Amino acid sequence: MTSPLLTRPGAVAAEPPDADVAAHYGEPAHEGRALEDTAGWIDRGNRGVVRVTGPDRLSWLHSLTSQFLDGIAPGTATEALVMDTKGHIRFHLSIVEDGTAVWAHTEPGAAADLAEFLDSMRFMLRVEVDDLGDRCRVLTLAGPDREKALEAVADQLRDVPVRRAEDETDLFLPADALVPVAEALTAAGVRPVGMWAYEARRIAEHRPRLGLDTDHRSIPHEMNWIGRAVHLEKGCYPGQETVARVHNLGRPPRRLVMLHLDGTAERLPERGASLELNGRAVGAVGSSARHHDLGPIALGLVKRNVPVDAEFVVDGIAAGQEVVVDPDTGANAQISLRRRPA
């Protein structure tokens, strides 16, 4: 459903998968600076929202996801992955437990599939899964002054689940509260920020996005999700064997990099375009954006053994790399454990 905030003056719709929300509100560079210097609100009302209730919700989700969720305290915000048995990533969830329910938002269009999967795994446990669909909208606050911004609309946030992560705050708003809360934040001096600036910030922070920076073969070690979305000291869950094997004995076949693109090019590379080294394809580009300070940047996946100082060409554009995932990531066992004694 197209966001009502796209009717704001200056709003320009983003490209898929975010076509239902704004790319910017007329001044993308100023919007990007607001996320660094003050605060901005970002309409992410296209995100899918799933709510899980019931007394067994935390232990149940703990057994299905990559994150340690059993017994977490109300207010805890985290991320989690749902994987298949081979460790390939199916869903990425941004989660908060509010004391009565677990709230999670995921990629646009993915909530129905996530809810269907969770429903299929309920068995006899005391849990209920709700795809909130058109009933809930995510509004994100980012920037150093975001807590002060929340205070300005505190009266409108009673009974609203709030996910306070390290780098941003998500509000799970009733659909009819999206516009009033956004306008109240604007009146309090918080700048409207579109997806162009938000995505540029995400790329600069080395945070991949499922479906944009991943493919059907992606595993957590490749994507820099170990620690942030994968807990290494928890029990059995789908995909754990792959995570444990790579962490203890091997290295992932690919690694995430951030790309600094040639600023003289007047375009960004097409998603999925080959990253070429000396005329040979060694990876592919994912998300790209124009950052207000860094210029054009992108995330990409390259083969693990590509030199860390290599420079690429992508879609005809020169690109230098910034290492995100170390080539030796996962090499945590002593080499003597991998070799038989002579």
Side-chain angles (χ1 to χ4, degrees), residues 34-116:
L35 298 183
E36 286 191 3
D37 300 336
T38 53
W41 59 255
I42 306 98
D43 177 12
R44 300 173 76 202
N46 60 332
R47 300 284 292 178
V49 177
V50 171
R51 179 181 60 195
V52 181
T53 55
D56 296 329
R57 65 187 181 280
L58 291 175
S59 58
W60 178 62
L61 290 171
H62 180 89
S63 71
L64 294 175
T65 73
S66 61
Q67 191 54 268
F68 196 105
L69 299 174
D70 194 10
I72 61 172
T76 300
T78 189
E79 299 176 24
L81 305 176
V82 174
M83 292 179 278
D84 65 20
T85 56
K86 295 182 178 180
H88 300 144
I89 304 159
R90 297 183 60 189
F91 301 100
H92 174 262
L93 285 64
S94 297
I95 289 173
V96 66
E97 156 68 16
D98 72 356
T100 60
V102 172
W103 296 75
H105 65 78
T106 188
E107 288 296 327
D113 289 342
L114 174 60
E116 182 180 4

Side-chain angles (χ1 to χ4, degrees), residues 48 109 143 170 187 193 231 290:
D170 297 326
V193 173
H231 197 289
R290 296 187 185 278

Side-chain angles (χ1 to χ4, degrees), residues 149-186:
L150 279 177
E151 293 174 6
V153 294
D155 289 345
Q156 293 173 267
L157 300 182
R158 292 192 181 97
D159 301 321
V160 169
V162 178
R163 179 181 179 271
R164 287 179 168 87
E166 181 180 351
D167 47 6
E168 59 194 36
T169 300
D170 297 326
L171 309 178
F172 291 81
L173 295 169
D176 60 2
L178 175 64
V179 171
V181 171
E183 296 302 342
L185 286 166
T186 305

Side-chain angles (χ1 to χ4, degrees), residues 243-311:
V243 170
R245 182 171 64 249
V246 174
H247 184 69
N248 291 310
L249 298 176
R251 298 173 176 89
R254 301 175 298 179
R255 58 184 179 87
L256 187 71
V257 296
M258 191 179 92
L259 303 169
H260 292 271
L261 303 168
D262 182 359
T264 63
E266 295 182 356
R267 58 188 174 83
L268 295 171
E270 290 290 328
R271 188 182 308 141
S274 292
L275 282 164
E276 297 181 353
L277 175 61
N278 299 324
R280 181 172 58 94
V282 295
V285 72
S287 306
S288 60
R290 296 187 185 278
H291 191 275
H292 68 278
D293 184 33
L294 300 175
I297 55 176
L299 292 177
L301 270 178
V302 299
K303 294 179 180 179
R304 183 188 65 81
N305 58 1
V306 170
V308 297
D309 58 353
E311 296 187 355

Side-chain angles (χ1 to χ4, degrees), residues 313-338:
V313 174
V314 54
D315 206 7
I317 303 169
Q321 67 169 305
E322 183 174 319
V323 174
V324 177
V325 172
D326 191 284
D328 289 328
T329 244
N332 291 288
Q334 295 179 3
I335 192 67
S336 58
L337 295 179
R338 301 195 197 119

